[in-house]
Amino acid sequence: MTAKIPVLEIFGPTIQGEGRVIGRKTMFVRTAGCDYRCSWCDSAFTWDGSAKEDIQLMSAEEIYHQLKAIGGDCFDHVTISGGNPALIKGIQELVDLFEEKQIYTALETQGSKFQPWMRQINDLTISPKPPSSNMTPNIDILDSVIEQCIASTLNLKVVIFDDADYDFAKMIHHRYPNIPFYLQVGNPYLDDDVDNHTDKLLNRYETLVDKVMTSDDMNRVYVLPQLHTLLWSNKKGV
């Protein structure tokens, strides 16, 4: 029986705004459902019920055909987003289809759940949630998920809003010192229209960069903005 995947959005081509694949041309498939309730989530509509009427249960083939209908031949990379797509076992068929069609894949998840298909993802970002999210990661589960992933495809990312987040990021980085590690400045300005949004985000980014530059125990890290928010603020579908 063909598994159905709860899909909220399919859009692109656009660019990846986060992590190791920042700037990568990609399509997005956004799934519904999450096991976390982060205080600053910029995609809360995936789990808070506000977009439940927009959820479509789709097969892998249906998702692929919609991607082609929207993106044509102008993509070879798809980001599976959420919510937390790692909750969805049925994504196995979608990842298999992407492999067959020679489409590269990216996924970001908080590391609270492992699925075997995560081993097939080309760019796998695990992003443990820091204290400002009001979530508390289970580090034993995180260890287990990371252990089951393919090292060459894996990177870690922590979003930084404050000093407590920075200390959490430092702990994660030193727990897994051989995994490429990305710090990304958080976006606290989630309204639809924010005055001088880009300037505000760049100021926060510069503050984080300055902090990292004087940290002798954070020498092997990458410090990133959220590129899509600098370009498009909080606009959806890009």
Side-chain angles (χ1 to χ4, degrees), residues 17 34 37 64 88 91 96 146 181-182 192 204 216 218:
C34 193
R37 300 291 184 265
Y64 175 74
I88 305 170
I91 288 177
D96 289 343
I146 287 174
F181 191 76
Y182 294 79
D192 289 339
R204 292 179 64 85
D216 62 4
M218 293 287 261

Side-chain angles (χ1 to χ4, degrees), residues 80-227:
I80 303 168
S81 185
N84 183 9
L87 301 178
I88 305 170
K89 188 175 181 181
I91 288 177
Q92 179 68 68
E93 291 183 21
L94 183 62
V95 173
D96 289 343
L97 182 58
F98 286 155
E99 282 192 347
E100 178 188 323
K101 302 293 186 181
Q102 296 185 310
I103 292 172
Y104 297 93
T105 50
L107 173 81
E108 181 174 321
T109 177
Q110 58 262 43
S112 59
K113 175 80 173 176
F114 176 78
Q115 296 283 0
W117 54 259
M118 288 164 60
R119 294 172 176 267
Q120 295 167 255
I121 298 293
N122 299 105
D123 297 302
L124 176 59
T125 298
I126 293 183
S127 183
K129 302 310 176 193
S132 64
S133 69
N134 293 331
M135 297 288 108
T136 304
N138 184 316
I139 298 298
D140 290 337
I141 291 176
L142 181 63
D143 286 345
S144 173
V145 170
I146 287 174
E147 194 174 280
Q148 295 176 82
C149 292
I150 305 296
S152 61
T153 67
L154 182 63
N155 70 100
L156 286 166
K157 188 191 81 179
V158 174
V159 178
I160 307 295
F161 283 85
D162 55 33
D163 288 345
D165 290 355
Y166 191 76
D167 290 340
F168 172 83
K170 197 178 293 189
M171 179 274 290
I172 292 291
H173 178 42
H174 289 279
R175 189 176 186 89
Y176 314 104
N178 296 318
I179 300 176
F181 191 76
Y182 294 79
L183 298 178
Q184 183 172 288
V185 69
N187 172 22
Y189 317 111
L190 298 178
D191 294 335
D192 289 339
D193 294 302
V194 180
D195 290 337
N196 303 313
H197 197 204
T198 297
D199 289 342
K200 289 176 178 176
L201 292 175
L202 284 173
N203 285 336
R204 292 179 64 85
Y205 178 50
E206 186 175 8
T207 298
L208 179 58
V209 168
D210 289 344
K211 191 174 186 66
V212 173
M213 294 308 103
T214 56
S215 295
D216 62 4
D217 54 357
M218 293 287 261
N219 290 345
R220 297 178 62 193
V221 303
Y222 302 82
V223 190
L224 299 179
Q226 269 191 317
L227 188 57

